[in-house]
């Protein structure tokens, strides 16, 4: 893309929040529809954001009067070996996550969206729709709409650009041992059971290409024939090992043809049989699971696993992990896979873009969702406007006090129909309203087929007719329509049940989060940041009420607030009535949170009022070039690239900060506290936003 000049007149969106600018194309023209198309293509990138990480976000109150040029940051190339290979690139791009709402794992704790729970996926915008991106986003929510109203610090807010480069937002998982997980070793552990790396040289480039096409069903051949030159048993053994090692899913056999030996590579028993690891070839002395560290750029966890599974020709469900990571970042996390060797995994480093696998070990057990201790963030806010004193005040407050543990905006969806409204309808057993909220037409731009589907439903209430408008039926709307088609409009509960349980519960968790945010704001409005009698704290897993006899034992960082449910207690002060009143307005009885459909009975949970980040550090650096890297990634460290050298003075200043957060907390809320800005999309689109990345 050509570069653009940014001037302080119109508006420019870089994620959730916008800053004021005006753009002029250096070349001749760029009409409105083309701009809208660019905007909307990227809109889908932040539809499904994981709760503990945030997507691209630019927080600017204004630009300096000086013109500022921003070029697109190039994607990091992790290997120079095979990344230009067109077939590999196309294959990676072809691995499409069908719809993330169908592939989430179980929620880590009942009644509370925790590590591993994905946000609901909604329809993507249709880039051909004449409605502008700004107009579309005006139909969304503000922080006020979901109860996010308070700050804990008193410093004056300032502006900054987050994630001008991918490396400006780096997330490292914190393992169950409390240590930050880094990719720092690409070696393959020595294993007598694995063939030598030298065996792969026995295959010619042409043979490798034909075998790859056979493995991926990209040609009509049923097998590949390899002539054994200089025939010997040892040579044949090496070829057998090379084919099976490089192209998992293929089997080999030796045949005599006209007095010559040939190795025949073929698919043993169809695609389904290939999905199961070869149990007979796995040594008993080796742990069944290969654990490794996965570095990835611009891929969320499920997308990454789909890519790995396609290249390995295995099912995605043989992979396990401790938590999901957002797409719009550089992320590093632990992964485990059943009965796939480190050697096979390491070969993927030669052919995958924006991935790197390393730190291989064999273990007896898989990883489990929720086992992680949290995530460590390295964040760069570029072109900050705050003074050194403002930055010092903001970061000192984040370090010493923390931030309000609100559920972030992505918890509540990005369309004109908030997910908490669907959750409320479910809890009310108002099934017709629930269907209407999910399927009805809505303002804003979506993919054309989804718009047509909604219009058809509104017009006919015929699930089969609406379903025919959907080429992709594995979305929430498609699944619900399939259920209605199968079970009928008089069996809505059963029809809704066709959607995977975790995704149905996300709607309810969204409503719980909505209540929690509002009650926390009320708590801070009423009592500030001091502990008062009637507050709740946890003793083990049990909530107890603070009274005059023990109040001196606790600080505000110990106080928890309940998510509504049948198995929690409520504060013994004014907030108890506030909870009851809020649910009563929604025609819900806080004393009876059991539902006639067991899945929708809310046990409730407790969540800390404030989060105190750990390992907080920061520095303000000066730089002149907008694209200069300000942090080193794990890959750059492995390659021995030196640390960036910063000038004492420069055209721009950046705030570089690091902090660690526990699971199920939102980094957006930490950034919000530092910059003192509303992170909602709607609030910023009042400025007529345009995305130009």
């Amino acid at each position: 893309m050509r570069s653009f000049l940014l001037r302080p007149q119109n508006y420019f969106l870089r994620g959730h929040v916008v800053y004021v600018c005006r753009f002029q194309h250096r070349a001749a023209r760029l009409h409105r529809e083309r701009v809208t198309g660019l905007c909307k293509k990227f809109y889908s990138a932040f539809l499904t954001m994981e709760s503990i990480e945030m997507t691209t976000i630019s927080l600017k109150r204004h630009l300096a009067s000086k013109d500022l040029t921003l070029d697109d940051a190039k994607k990091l190339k992790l290997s120079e070996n095979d990344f230009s290979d067109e077939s590999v690139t196309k294959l990676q791009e072809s691995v499409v996550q069908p719809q993330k709402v169908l592939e989430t794992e179980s929620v880590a704790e009942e009644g509370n969206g925790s590590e591993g729970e994905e946000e609901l996926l909604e329809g993507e915008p249709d880039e051909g729709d004449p409605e502008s991106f700004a107009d579309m986003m005006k139909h969304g929510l503000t922080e006020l709409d979901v109860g996010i109203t308070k700050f804990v610090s008193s410093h004056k807010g300032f502006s900054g650009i987050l994630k001008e480069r991918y490396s400006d937002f780096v997330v490292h998982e914190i393992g169950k041992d409390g240590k930050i997980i880094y990719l720092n070793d690409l070696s393959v552990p020595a294993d007598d059971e694995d063939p030598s790396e030298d065996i792969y040289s026995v295959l010619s480039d042409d043979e490798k290409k034909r075998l790859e096409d056979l493995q991926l069903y990209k040609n009509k051949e049923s097998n590949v024939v390899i002539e054994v030159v200089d025939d010997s048993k040892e040579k044949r053994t090496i070829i057998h090992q090379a084919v099976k090692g490089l192209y998992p899913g293929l089997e080999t056999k030796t045949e005599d043809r006209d007095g010559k030996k040939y190795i025949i590579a073929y698919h043993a028993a169809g695609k389904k049989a290939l999905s199961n690891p070869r149990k007979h070839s796995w040594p008993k002395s080796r742990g069944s699971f290969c654990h490794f560290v996965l570095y990835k750029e611009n891929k969320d966890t499920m997308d990454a696993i789909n890519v790995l599974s396609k290249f390995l020709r295995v099912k995605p469900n043989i992979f396990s992990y401790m938590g999901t990571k957002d797409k719009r970042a550089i992320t590093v996390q632990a992964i485990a896979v059943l009965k796939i060797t480190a050697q096979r995994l390491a070969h993927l480093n030669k052919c995958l873009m924006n991935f790197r696998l390393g730190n291989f070990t064999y273990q007896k057990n898989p990883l489990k969702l929720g086992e992680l201790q949290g995530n460590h963030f390295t964040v760069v806010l570029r072109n900050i406007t705050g003074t050194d004193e403002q930055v010092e005040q903001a970061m000192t407050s984040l370090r010493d006090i923390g931030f309000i543990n609100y559920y972030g905006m992505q918890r509540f969806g990005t369309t004109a129909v908030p997910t908490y409204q669907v959750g409320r309808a479910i809890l009310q057993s108002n099934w017709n309203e629930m269907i209407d909220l999910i399927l009805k037409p809505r303002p804003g731009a979506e993919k054309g087929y989804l718009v047509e589907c909604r219009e058809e439903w509104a017009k006919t209430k015929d699930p089969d007719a609406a379903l025919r408008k959907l080429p992709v039926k594995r979305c929430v709307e498609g699944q619900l329509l399939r259920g209605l088609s199968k079970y009928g409009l008089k069996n809505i509960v059963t029809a809704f049940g066709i959607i995977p349980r975790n995704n149905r519960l996300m709607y309810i968790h969204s409503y719980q989060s909505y209540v929690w945010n509002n009650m926390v704001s009320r708590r801070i409005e009423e009592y500030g940041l001091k502990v008062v009698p009637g507050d709740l704290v946890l003793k083990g897993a049990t909530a107890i009420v603070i009274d005059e006899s023990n109040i001196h034992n606790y600080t505000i960082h110990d106080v928890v607030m309940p998510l509504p449910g049948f198995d929690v207690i409520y504060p013994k002060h004014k907030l108890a009535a506030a909870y009851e009143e809020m649910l009563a307005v929604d025609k819900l009885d806080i004393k009876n949170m059991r539902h006639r459909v067991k899945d929708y009975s809310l046990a409730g949970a407790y969540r800390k009022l404030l989060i105190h980040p750990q390992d907080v550090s920061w520095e303000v650096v000066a730089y002149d070039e907008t694209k200069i890297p300000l942090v080193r990634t794990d890959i750059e460290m492995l390659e021995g690239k030196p640390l960036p050298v910063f000038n004492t003075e420069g055209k721009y200043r950046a705030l570089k900060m690091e902090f660690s957060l526990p699971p199920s907390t939102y980094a957006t809320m930490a950034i919000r506290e530092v910059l003192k800005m509303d992170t909602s999309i709607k609030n910023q689109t009042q400025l007529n936003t345009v995305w130009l990345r």
Side-chain angles (χ1 to χ4, degrees):
M1 184 185 296
R2 297 181 178 92
S3 60
F4 293 84
L5 300 178
L6 310 181
R7 303 180 188 277
Q9 294 178 21
N10 290 332
Y11 313 100
F12 184 74
L13 175 71
R14 297 181 64 81
H16 280 183
V17 187
V18 285
Y19 57 88
V20 185
C21 72
R22 179 174 181 267
F23 64 89
Q24 291 181 343
H25 203 300
R26 285 181 174 172
R29 61 189 172 83
L30 183 60
H31 53 73
R32 182 171 178 269
E33 281 118 356
R34 184 176 169 196
V35 174
T36 303
L38 291 170
C39 300
K40 294 175 180 177
K41 281 181 182 178
F42 203 84
Y43 169 56
S44 61
F46 57 84
L47 287 177
T48 54
M49 293 174 290
E50 172 61 26
S51 22
I52 53 171
E53 284 105 29
M54 61 180 294
T55 178
T56 307
I57 186 171
S58 175
L59 302 169
K60 291 287 280 183
R61 298 177 185 274
H62 57 79
L63 284 177
S65 58
K66 208 173 209 180
D67 291 342
L68 177 67
T69 299
L70 296 178
D71 292 326
D72 284 343
K74 293 182 180 178
K75 288 187 178 180
L76 179 63
K77 302 289 186 181
L78 300 184
S79 170
E80 298 178 358
N81 293 334
D82 300 313
F83 284 2
S84 61
D85 188 282
E86 187 178 353
S87 64
V88 172
T89 304
K90 286 182 178 179
L91 177 59
Q92 267 191 265
E93 292 174 350
S94 72
V95 183
V96 178
Q97 180 72 7
Q99 291 286 357
K100 290 185 183 61
V101 303
L102 302 175
E103 304 209 32
T104 53
E105 297 291 339
S106 25
V107 178
E109 59 181 290
E110 185 62 29
N112 181 14
S114 185
E115 193 65 38
E117 178 175 340
E118 302 241 5
E119 307 304 331
L120 286 168
L121 186 67
E122 297 160 320
E124 295 180 359
D126 182 357
E127 56 191 75
D129 194 289
E131 183 174 23
S132 73
F133 186 71
D135 290 339
M136 175 182 66
M137 297 319 300
K138 286 179 182 177
H139 303 295
L141 301 170
T142 67
E143 289 186 346
L144 181 62
D145 293 327
V146 294
I148 302 173
T149 62
K150 301 296 181 182
F151 296 93
V152 300
S153 57
S154 58
H155 72 274
K156 183 179 178 181
F158 56 91
S159 303
I161 305 172
L162 176 60
K163 207 184 292 188
E164 187 173 333
R165 295 171 57 92
Y166 281 120
S167 58
D168 286 350
F169 197 85
V170 182
V171 185
H172 288 87
E173 206 166 58
I174 301 173
K176 53 187 175 182
D177 59 359
K179 295 180 180 178
I180 299 173
I181 294 172
Y182 294 99
L183 178 71
N184 52 25
D185 183 5
L186 299 181
S187 64
V188 176
D191 192 328
D192 294 337
E193 300 288 341
D194 286 331
S196 166
E197 287 285 319
D198 297 336
I199 68 171
Y200 300 111
S201 62
V202 302
L203 298 174
S204 68
D205 291 341
D206 178 65
E207 288 167 342
K208 289 178 181 178
K209 178 65 170 64
R210 290 167 58 212
L211 287 164
E212 178 189 328
D213 288 347
L214 176 67
Q215 179 200 31
L216 302 177
Y217 294 94
K218 292 172 68 176
N219 60 26
K220 296 181 180 179
E221 291 184 87
S222 60
N223 58 56
V224 170
V225 179
I226 302 170
E227 182 180 354
V228 183
V229 182
D230 302 325
D231 176 42
S232 67
K233 185 176 181 180
E234 182 182 12
K235 180 74 175 289
R236 294 196 301 272
T237 299
I238 291 174
I239 295 176
H240 285 294
Q241 290 176 335
V243 172
K244 292 177 181 179
L246 262 181
Y247 307 98
L250 297 185
E251 294 290 348
T252 57
K253 62 183 179 181
T254 303
E255 286 188 3
D256 279 307
R257 296 184 181 180
D258 301 325
K260 293 182 179 180
K261 296 285 188 180
Y262 293 88
I263 304 295
I264 313 299
Y266 62 100
H267 285 296
K271 294 182 180 180
K272 291 184 179 180
L274 298 173
S275 300
N276 299 316
R278 291 189 191 87
K279 297 181 180 180
H280 66 273
S281 62
W282 196 262
K284 293 181 180 180
S285 59
R286 180 196 286 164
S288 294
F289 296 88
C290 184
H291 288 228
F292 61 96
V293 172
L294 176 63
Y295 171 105
K296 59 189 182 299
E297 179 184 339
N298 199 33
K299 286 283 184 190
D300 67 28
T301 302
M302 282 310 303
D303 283 341
I305 285 176
N306 279 352
V307 170
L308 298 179
S309 62
K310 182 149 190 175
F311 271 80
L312 292 168
R313 300 301 303 169
V314 296
K315 286 184 177 178
N317 63 8
I318 71 170
F319 290 86
S320 58
Y321 45 88
M322 296 185 291
T324 55
K325 299 291 175 283
D326 183 32
K327 176 179 180 178
R328 293 288 297 164
I330 290 176
T331 60
V332 182
Q333 68 178 115
I335 303 286
V337 61
L338 174 65
K339 293 186 177 179
I340 300 292
T341 66
Q343 192 174 41
R344 282 175 61 184
L345 293 168
H347 274 290
L348 297 178
N349 288 333
K350 298 180 179 180
C351 57
L352 293 182
M353 291 181 64
N354 300 334
F355 286 81
R356 190 61 65 89
L357 292 68
N359 296 78
F360 302 103
T361 60
Y362 292 107
Q363 307 288 341
K364 293 181 179 180
N365 299 308
L367 295 170
K368 295 181 180 178
L369 275 170
E371 283 185 326
L372 78 170
Q373 293 296 307
N375 294 276
H376 183 77
F377 297 86
T378 303
V379 178
V380 173
L381 294 171
R382 292 180 184 252
N383 196 23
I384 59 170
T385 61
T387 64
D388 288 345
E389 183 180 3
Q390 282 178 286
V391 172
E392 188 72 18
Q393 289 174 348
M395 293 306 300
T396 300
S397 175
L398 185 68
R399 180 192 65 195
D400 297 343
I401 302 175
F403 61 94
I404 303 170
N405 194 21
Y406 286 124
Y407 287 95
M409 296 302 299
Q410 58 266 45
R411 185 77 164 181
F412 307 103
T414 52
T415 72
V417 180
T419 53
Y420 74 80
Q421 292 183 3
V422 180
R424 179 171 57 201
I426 294 170
L427 293 174
Q428 294 169 341
S429 296
N430 191 340
W431 305 112
N432 288 321
E433 182 180 350
M434 177 203 72
I435 289 180
D436 187 53
L437 287 168
I438 294 175
L439 295 180
K440 72 178 181 179
R442 60 202 61 194
E446 295 181 299
K447 284 290 186 186
Y449 57 76
L450 196 51
V451 172
E452 292 176 8
C453 170
R454 296 189 190 284
E455 290 174 348
E456 183 68 31
W457 171 257
K459 182 173 64 176
T460 66
K461 292 296 188 286
D462 182 345
D464 291 314
L467 199 58
R468 284 194 291 271
K469 302 290 185 180
L470 282 180
V472 179
K473 296 178 174 57
R474 295 190 67 192
C475 56
V476 167
E477 295 83 359
Q479 289 282 67
L480 179 55
L481 288 168
R482 282 178 55 206
L484 293 172
S485 174
K486 183 175 182 179
Y487 298 106
L489 295 176
K490 293 184 179 180
N491 293 297
I492 294 176
V493 175
T494 306
F496 185 56
I498 200 171
I499 298 172
R501 179 176 182 270
N502 291 339
N503 302 305
R504 287 181 276 123
L505 294 183
M506 282 185 216
Y507 289 116
I508 300 175
H509 295 158
S510 178
Y511 179 75
Q512 285 181 302
S513 304
Y514 168 73
V515 173
W516 194 91
N517 279 0
N518 278 278
M519 291 298 98
V520 164
S521 293
R522 288 278 296 274
R523 161 64 178 77
I524 294 174
E525 177 74 26
E526 195 72 41
Y527 301 113
L529 296 179
K530 62 180 181 180
V531 182
V532 297
D535 277 334
L536 303 179
V537 295
L538 289 178
K539 190 172 184 180
T542 305
I544 62 171
V545 180
I546 294 176
D547 55 32
E548 295 291 353
S549 67
N550 61 8
I551 193 169
H552 61 280
N553 295 330
Y554 302 105
T555 72
I556 192 65
H557 291 99
D558 298 312
V559 175
V560 297
M561 294 278 286
L563 285 91
F566 62 78
D567 200 26
V568 296
I569 62 173
Y570 295 90
K572 302 299 182 183
H573 47 52
K574 292 181 180 179
L575 266 294
Y579 268 97
E580 190 167 351
E581 290 166 8
M582 184 174 182
L583 268 70
V585 168
D586 289 336
K587 301 179 181 178
L588 295 172
D589 182 1
I590 200 169
K591 297 175 182 177
N592 182 21
M593 298 302 289
R594 295 187 185 274
H595 197 280
R596 66 183 184 87
V597 180
K598 186 177 180 181
D599 275 354
Y600 311 140
S601 292
L602 292 180
Y606 300 99
R607 181 176 174 88
K608 283 202 169 185
L609 179 70
L610 296 186
I611 286 294
H612 197 181
Q614 301 299 306
D615 311 314
V616 179
S617 64
W618 70 91
E619 63 175 323
V620 176
V621 298
Y623 64 102
D624 292 315
E625 298 178 15
T626 58
K627 293 170 65 174
I628 186 174
L630 300 180
V631 296
R632 277 202 308 174
T633 66
D634 290 10
I635 299 302
E636 290 168 335
M637 292 181 188
L638 279 168
E639 293 173 349
K641 292 185 178 179
L643 283 166
V645 178
F646 304 116
N647 301 324
T648 54
E649 295 184 358
K651 287 194 293 185
Y652 312 110
R653 294 161 61 244
L655 171 58
K656 178 182 173 184
M657 55 181 168
E658 295 191 38
F659 53 88
S660 298
L661 296 178
S664 194
T665 54
Y666 288 70
T668 31
M669 296 295 100
I671 302 298
R672 170 186 181 269
E673 186 68 41
V674 170
L675 296 180
K676 286 289 188 76
M677 292 200 69
D678 184 329
T679 60
S680 71
I681 302 173
K682 179 177 180 179
N683 181 67
Q684 303 303 319
T685 51
Q686 294 171 0
L687 306 176
N688 185 27
T689 59
V690 177
W691 179 285
L692 284 176
R693 195 162 183 175

